[in-house]
């Protein structure tokens, strides 16, 4: 599913991930170890990006990885890759947590901080050496500034698109559109689908 | 199709919708195949954004996850009530010969596949093969233990357990047919309660085994009669209790 930009290794790894997840659904602990090996890094990383707080990110990562074990039988390969299934879950959990009441104070602090710190630089700085990193960075650079800021604030920042509009002082409709066309451009650049 | 709603796919994938909009968008999604496709593609894209942010997890995370999954019951998969007769016949014979259990044909028996979706034939073949391999591996385990008991309502149950492999193969044969609307259900029973091991449909000739992984603290395998579809917890007295070594 990585298409033209995906290396053979990456798509093989992905096919393996689906097969392993199927075995996890059968209660196979070795398969779970293999799934953990591939997904713990990105699960933790995305939680960390959204939440900023390492302790909370680790809690979320733990919840998500246990949820992968618990609900492996519900993964449906017809609806997308195992990686997307797991990372969508991780992102949703991290965003839920950031929007919860107990995180609101930290959120306010972050909002102030983000007004002065361009989020994109931060993302680039924080990412770990991985096959995907360079491609994603290159593709993010190919977006217009407003597309890139909208996508990074919404996805990595965990903001709603109306909050993004507020942070960027842009009309709501524009941010909504930039989120969609920004992601679509990333999709084409990354060769997804 | 409302183009305004449709354009929310990007925000949806970023989990960036306000609750009211989220609801409206998901209602729209349910009847917009184009959006479903777009959402799927954008979700794959977002997954790459997540991968790009990957961090090396500390070893304590693995330890914490392992501790949790050891006590976390997995959601049982959708278990088909159609036994995989053709697909299973050959491998079944092979490993039953190996086991030497020599069960007579014509016994009422059960087919239950724990943790397996019986959706298509290739799956069934693969699963039968996997099961047969798994059982020979189980038999070769140094600590394999066999146990058998009678089922109080007729028939008998056998189990092969290996604690080192954390696996058990359970076979139940000669079960009485149940009234319509009732099913047999297996349970993994331990100090922390009973976990479902799946519903076992009884058929006239089919005979198969259940392979259970992740025994956890289970010390006994139980069999109860439950309403169709199975129960979350046993609702009747077990008709079989198969002890397993600690």
């Amino acid at each position: 599913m990585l298409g033209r930009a995906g290396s053979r290794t990456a798509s093989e790894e992905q096919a393996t991930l689906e097969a392993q997840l199927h075995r996890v659904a059968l209660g196979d602990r070795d398969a779970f170890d293999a799934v953990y090996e591939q997904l713990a890094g990105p699960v933790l990383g995305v939680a960390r990006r959204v939440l900023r707080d390492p302790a909370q990110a680790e809690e979320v990562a733990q919840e998500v990885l246990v949820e992968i074990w618990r609900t492996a039988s519900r993964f449906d390969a017809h609806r997308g890759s195992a990686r997307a299934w797991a990372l969508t879950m991780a992102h949703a959990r991290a965003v839920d947590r950031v929007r919860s009441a107990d995180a609101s104070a930290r959120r306010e602090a972050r909002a102030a901080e983000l007004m002065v710190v361009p989020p994109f630089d931060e993302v680039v700085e924080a990412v770990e050496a991985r096959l995907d990193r360079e491609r994603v960075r290159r593709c993010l650079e190919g977006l217009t500034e407003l597309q890139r800021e909208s996508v990074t604030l919404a996805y990595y920042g965990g903001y709603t698109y109306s909050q993004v509009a507020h942070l960027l002082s842009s009309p709501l409709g524009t941010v909504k559109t930039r989120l969609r066309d920004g992601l679509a451009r990333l999709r084409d650049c990354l060769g997804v689908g | 199709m409302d183009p305004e709603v449709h354009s929310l796919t990007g925000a949806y994938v970023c989990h960036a919708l306000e609750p009211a909009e989220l609801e409206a968008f998901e209602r729209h999604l349910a009847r917009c195949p184009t959006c479903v496709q777009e959402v799927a593609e954008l979700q794959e894209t977002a997954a790459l954004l997540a991968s790009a942010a990957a961090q090396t997890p500390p070893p304590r995370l693995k330890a914490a996850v392992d501790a949790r999954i050891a006590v976390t019951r997995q959601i049982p998969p959708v278990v088909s009530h159609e036994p995989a007769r053709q697909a299973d016949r050959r491998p079944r014979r092979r490993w039953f010969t190996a086991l030497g259990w020599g069960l007579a044909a014509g016994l009422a028996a059960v087919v239950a596949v724990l943790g397996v979706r019986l959706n298509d034939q290739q799956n069934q073949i693969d699963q039968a093969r996997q099961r047969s391999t798994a059982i020979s591996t189980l038999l070769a385990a140094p600590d394999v233990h066999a146990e058998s008991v009678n089922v109080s309502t007729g028939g008998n149950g056998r189990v092969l357990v290996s604690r080192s492999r954390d696996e058990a193969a359970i076979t139940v044969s000669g079960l009485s047919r149940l009234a319509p609307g009732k099913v047999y259900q297996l349970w993994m029973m331990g100090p922390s309660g009973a976990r479902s091991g799946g519903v076992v449909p009884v058929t006239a000739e089919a005979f198969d085994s259940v392979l259970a992984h992740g025994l956890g603290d289970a010390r006994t395998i139980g069999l109860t009669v439950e309403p169709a579809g199975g129960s979350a917890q046993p609702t009747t007295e077990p008709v079989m209790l198969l002890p397993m070594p600690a």
Side-chain angles (χ1 to χ4, degrees):
Chain A
M1 216 171 273
L2 287 178
R4 58 187 178 276
S7 68
R8 181 173 291 267
T9 322
S11 49
E12 274 171 10
E13 185 182 301
Q14 192 163 306
T16 312
L17 192 55
E18 262 85 70
Q20 280 160 342
L21 202 59
H22 184 69
R23 294 194 54 81
V24 170
L26 308 177
D28 185 330
R29 291 286 291 266
D30 291 342
F32 181 77
D33 288 346
V35 167
Y36 180 95
E37 189 64 34
Q38 291 180 67
L39 292 181
V43 163
L44 178 65
V46 75
R48 185 80 179 263
R49 285 296 315 148
V50 172
L51 285 156
R52 308 267 172 117
D53 176 35
Q56 287 206 69
E58 238 175 273
E59 281 170 32
V60 166
Q62 187 188 325
E63 281 171 22
V64 170
L65 291 157
V66 171
E67 197 63 6
I68 290 171
W69 163 261
R70 200 177 75 83
T71 61
S73 68
R74 294 297 183 265
F75 165 67
D76 179 357
H78 300 293
R79 298 174 64 177
S81 70
R83 180 169 283 266
W85 175 73
L87 295 176
T88 299
M89 199 192 306
H91 188 261
R93 286 275 177 124
V95 165
D96 278 352
R97 170 81 68 122
V98 96
R99 288 188 195 148
S100 71
D102 67 87
S104 60
R106 187 170 34 257
R107 177 169 192 83
E108 292 312 309
R110 278 177 49 203
E113 171 195 349
L114 277 161
M115 297 301 277
V116 289
V117 182
F120 176 60
D121 292 346
E122 231 174 290
V123 171
V124 173
E125 208 173 284
V127 293
E128 288 223 338
R130 252 189 107 83
L131 191 76
D132 295 325
R133 185 192 59 180
E134 268 307 300
R135 287 200 300 146
V136 169
R137 192 183 63 79
R138 223 177 32 242
C139 290
L140 275 171
E141 278 175 353
L143 303 183
T144 68
E145 196 183 339
L146 193 54
Q147 283 176 333
R148 186 173 63 235
E149 285 176 340
S150 300
V151 169
T152 52
L153 278 171
Y155 189 78
Y156 289 125
Y159 291 96
T160 66
Y161 83 93
S162 51
Q163 288 169 327
V164 173
H166 178 71
L167 287 168
L168 297 177
S169 313
S170 298
L172 212 55
T174 309
V175 168
K176 180 170 69 180
T177 315
R178 292 300 88 86
L179 272 178
R180 183 185 175 203
D181 58 34
L183 276 172
R185 204 153 143 187
L186 277 178
R187 171 196 61 198
D188 297 341
C189 177
L190 291 163
V192 177
Chain B
M1 175 197 317
D2 176 3
E4 280 297 301
V5 177
H6 188 99
S7 66
L8 288 172
T9 48
Y12 177 72
V13 162
C14 291
H15 300 110
L17 293 176
E18 305 286 350
E21 269 179 322
L22 178 63
E23 209 176 293
F25 181 77
E26 287 189 332
R27 270 201 309 272
H28 172 71
L29 201 56
R31 47 174 209 277
C32 172
T34 321
C35 304
V36 171
Q37 173 67 27
E38 187 171 306
V39 163
E41 286 177 14
L42 297 186
Q43 256 164 3
E44 297 293 334
T45 309
L48 290 174
L49 288 175
S51 295
Q55 299 205 337
T56 307
R60 65 173 174 274
L61 179 62
K62 181 71 164 75
V65 169
D66 281 346
R68 285 267 304 277
I69 69 171
V71 293
T72 300
R73 180 169 61 185
Q74 291 183 290
I75 290 184
V78 184
V79 177
S80 165
H81 288 244
E82 289 298 314
R85 276 181 219 153
Q86 286 185 337
D88 283 350
R89 184 153 288 154
R90 205 181 301 156
R92 195 159 64 225
R93 196 167 290 151
R94 205 186 310 134
W95 67 256
F96 272 111
T97 310
L99 281 174
W101 286 359
L103 287 142
L107 277 178
V110 296
V111 172
V113 182
L114 190 79
V116 173
R117 289 182 227 206
L118 296 176
N119 287 340
D120 61 73
Q121 212 167 27
Q122 186 54 49
N123 254 356
Q124 292 168 14
I125 293 164
D126 290 346
Q127 282 156 10
R129 198 171 289 142
Q130 249 173 30
R131 209 156 42 232
S132 115
T133 310
I135 287 169
S136 28
T137 313
L138 188 57
L139 276 172
D143 63 341
V144 68
H145 171 91
E147 192 75 53
S148 87
V149 295
N150 289 329
V151 177
S152 64
T153 51
N156 59 61
R158 296 160 190 270
V159 64
L160 280 176
V161 195
S162 162
R163 284 287 169 189
S164 68
R165 295 195 54 78
D166 199 28
E167 281 179 341
I170 306 138
T171 308
V172 191
S173 59
L175 285 178
S176 330
R177 280 189 167 280
L178 292 171
K182 298 284 181 189
V183 292
Y184 287 106
Q185 189 170 0
L186 280 169
W187 302 94
M188 299 286 156
M189 303 163 109
S192 59
R195 248 166 348 115
S196 175
V199 166
V200 287
V202 175
T203 61
E205 293 169 31
F207 191 101
D208 213 325
S209 144
V210 176
L211 189 66
H213 308 266
L215 305 179
D217 64 2
R219 294 287 174 269
T220 309
I221 288 163
L223 187 72
T224 61
V225 177
E226 300 291 343
S231 302
Q233 285 293 311
T235 62
T236 59
E237 277 297 304
V239 294
M240 175 193 85
L241 287 169
L242 264 170
M244 295 192 291

